[in-house]
Amino acid sequence: MLRRRSEVEDLLRRDAPQVLGALVRRYGHFASAEDAVQEALLAAARQWPGQGVPDNPRGWLIKVASRRLMDQLRADEARRRREEDAAALTPRDAFTAPPPGEGRAPSEDDTLTLLFLCCRPELTPAAQVALTLRAVGGLTTAEIARAHLVPEATMAQRISRAKGRIKGVPFRQPGPEDRDARLAVVLQVLYLIFNEGYTATSGEALHRADLAGEAIRLTRSVRRLLPQEGAVTGLLALMLLTEARAAARTGPHGELVPLDEQDRTRWDRRAITEGTALVEEALSQGPPGAYQLQAAIAALHDEAPRSEDTDWPQILALYGHLVHRTPEPMAELGRVVAHAMVHGPRAGLDELASLEDQLKGHYRLEAVRAHLLERAGDTEGARTAYQLAAQGTLSGPEAHYLRTRAAGLPS
């Protein structure tokens, strides 16, 4: 039975990590294996919509990718010598997988192993994100380049350098002694991908649904492997509860609509229901961390039928726990907003003063200042702050919103 192209693409992205894991386990050449898998994915994307999906799609991909990889290895004399020496140079248990079509299917754990590999600490955050989207997400270099608004050649160089940095690294999960720290890096990379999708840091589009959706898909994969990890459950809940508002965040011309002005009937209630249930589960899985607390805050926003029904005292209490747990400037800024909603804009401005050194020059500091000054009746101060914030952001929709807000203030 033929499948729609979108269904084929979903299947390919879901199988990509296991296919790559099988090749890396067997041959050990991450960069060459990843290129071969990309070629197999492209071949499937061309053939399957018209010819139908094979009975064993993952086995088909492994077989095709293995052939491509072997062709690459045989075409290069030096690489052929490394292949001949691989048995002597490679630990027996480092890169093992059954031959394509034989034995057990590649383990789902390959997804997590690949994430650990792509998020090694010696890589820069930008390289971690790019390599994760390429190797685990199954995106092409061109797709990743478009998402980050850089030329394809630039992204190709970034990915190539990242592959070079992890060349020779064994394909296995980290040991117990550093697993938690490495998992924290994996979750941080997924969080960065989601944030860039939900609120693009530059360009004319506020929301990049492909990136946000990919982050959610990958986080779901990690949760299937680690269902008892509260941080993983909390991160997935946070993503779902945040993305649930996406449809209401922009107006008919792509303009930003702030949270308190959104049409809440356009929020995705199914995602909110799932996210809220995950928050409750995450909070039962041990002491709450940053993701669980942020998810609980998002749930309180999403559960309020109207903006004025928001439980700001409870949100302020949660922010208090969050900044104590993770003293990070953006969390502090969120706490200031909650403080102002509970105690008034002047009290919020007093609290904002304590962040001047940490966030000096950041447009979000000026945006919050402008909002609080407007609420306090200081229109001239608010206008200046809105204009400064608009000058500081690289996001077209955010800058347009801030300038419009400044222009709409009475003289």
Side-chain angles (χ1 to χ4, degrees):
M1 180 178 177
L2 299 183
R3 302 192 184 202
R4 295 192 304 272
R5 183 171 297 275
S6 61
E7 292 177 313
V8 169
E9 291 174 352
D10 289 344
L11 177 63
L12 292 175
R13 288 189 174 177
R14 186 172 65 248
D15 283 348
Q18 285 77 50
V19 176
L20 178 57
L23 264 68
V24 176
R25 284 183 184 279
R26 189 177 187 200
Y27 301 106
H29 304 283
F30 177 89
S32 298
E34 199 273 333
D35 289 340
V37 170
Q38 288 293 321
E39 290 187 33
L41 294 173
L42 290 172
R46 288 193 297 267
Q47 295 179 29
W48 292 1
Q51 299 178 13
V53 177
D55 292 336
N56 181 5
R58 191 178 298 175
W60 187 97
L61 289 168
I62 293 173
K63 184 177 181 179
V64 171
S66 294
R67 288 175 176 171
R68 301 291 173 89
L69 178 58
M70 293 307 299
D71 287 344
Q72 293 176 40
L73 295 175
R74 292 192 182 100
D76 186 294
E77 184 66 26
R79 194 165 291 173
R80 182 162 65 243
R81 287 198 299 269
R82 287 200 297 272
E83 181 188 2
E84 293 169 350
D85 294 339
L89 297 176
T90 305
R92 182 175 296 274
D93 63 346
F95 306 120
T96 58
E102 301 178 18
R104 64 172 177 81
S107 171
E108 291 281 344
D109 287 346
D110 284 345
T111 299
L112 189 58
T113 305
L114 279 171
L115 280 167
F116 280 128
L117 186 62
C118 295
C119 298
R120 288 186 63 84
E122 58 263 38
L123 298 177
T124 65
Q128 291 171 339
V129 169
L131 196 58
T132 298
L133 289 173
R134 167 87 179 194
V136 189
L139 276 66
T140 66
T141 302
E143 288 174 324
I144 301 169
R146 285 197 298 271
H148 288 80
L149 302 178
V150 300
E152 184 175 350
T154 300
M155 184 56 65
Q157 291 177 350
R158 184 180 301 174
I159 293 173
S160 178
R161 286 194 296 267
K163 291 178 184 178
R165 295 294 299 274
I166 64 172
K167 184 178 181 180
V169 175
F171 185 76
R172 54 175 175 247
Q173 292 192 25
E177 66 280 358
D178 66 345
R179 178 184 174 280
D180 288 347
R182 293 282 297 281
L183 178 60
V185 175
V186 167
L187 298 183
Q188 178 66 16
V189 168
L190 295 176
Y191 186 49
L192 288 172
I193 293 171
F194 176 79
N195 281 344
E196 181 61 27
Y198 189 72
T199 303
T201 54
S202 60
E204 294 307 313
L206 179 69
H207 182 243
R208 296 176 186 169
D210 55 342
L211 281 183
E214 190 61 25
I216 291 172
R217 186 186 71 82
L218 293 176
T219 306
R220 285 192 188 279
S221 296
V222 176
R223 184 171 181 270
R224 281 196 297 270
L225 301 170
L226 302 172
Q228 302 305 316
E229 287 284 350
V232 179
T233 305
L235 178 57
L236 179 57
L238 174 60
M239 290 179 178
L240 289 171
L241 291 164
T242 305
E243 183 68 6
R245 311 179 203 131
R249 288 182 70 231
T250 53
H253 304 294
E255 67 273 18
L256 185 151
V257 180
L259 180 62
D260 60 347
E261 298 177 15
Q262 289 175 15
D263 178 0
R264 299 185 178 216
T265 64
R266 299 183 64 197
W267 288 1
D268 185 342
R269 288 295 156 187
R270 181 178 298 180
I272 292 172
T273 299
E274 182 185 1
T276 302
L278 287 172
V279 170
E280 295 175 358
E281 183 177 341
L283 293 175
S284 71
Q285 293 176 325
Y291 297 125
Q292 296 96 309
L293 291 168
Q294 289 180 77
I297 291 169
L300 287 172
H301 281 297
D302 288 7
E303 290 172 345
R306 301 176 304 167
S307 175
E308 54 266 35
D309 298 326
T310 304
D311 189 349
W312 284 108
Q314 182 65 17
I315 289 176
L316 178 58
L318 288 169
Y319 267 118
H321 290 295
L322 178 61
V323 298
H324 177 74
R325 171 73 171 74
T326 309
E328 193 267 333
M330 288 302 152
E332 292 273 8
L333 198 58
R335 188 195 64 80
V336 167
V337 173
H339 186 85
M341 296 303 294
V342 174
H343 301 290
R346 287 296 176 188
L349 288 165
D350 290 340
E351 292 288 313
L352 193 66
S354 64
L355 299 180
E356 292 286 351
D357 291 338
Q358 290 176 280
L359 291 171
K360 185 176 181 180
H362 198 292
Y363 82 95
R364 289 196 184 278
L365 177 73
E366 294 301 332
V368 170
R369 190 197 317 278
H371 174 67
L372 296 182
L373 287 170
E374 181 180 359
R375 288 189 62 221
D378 184 350
T379 55
E380 286 305 314
R383 182 179 293 107
T384 299
Y386 276 130
Q387 290 169 344
L388 287 173
Q391 294 168 10
T393 181
L394 297 177
S395 166
E398 285 189 323
H400 175 75
Y401 166 77
L402 293 165
R403 287 193 297 266
T404 300
R405 199 83 183 193
L409 291 172
S411 301

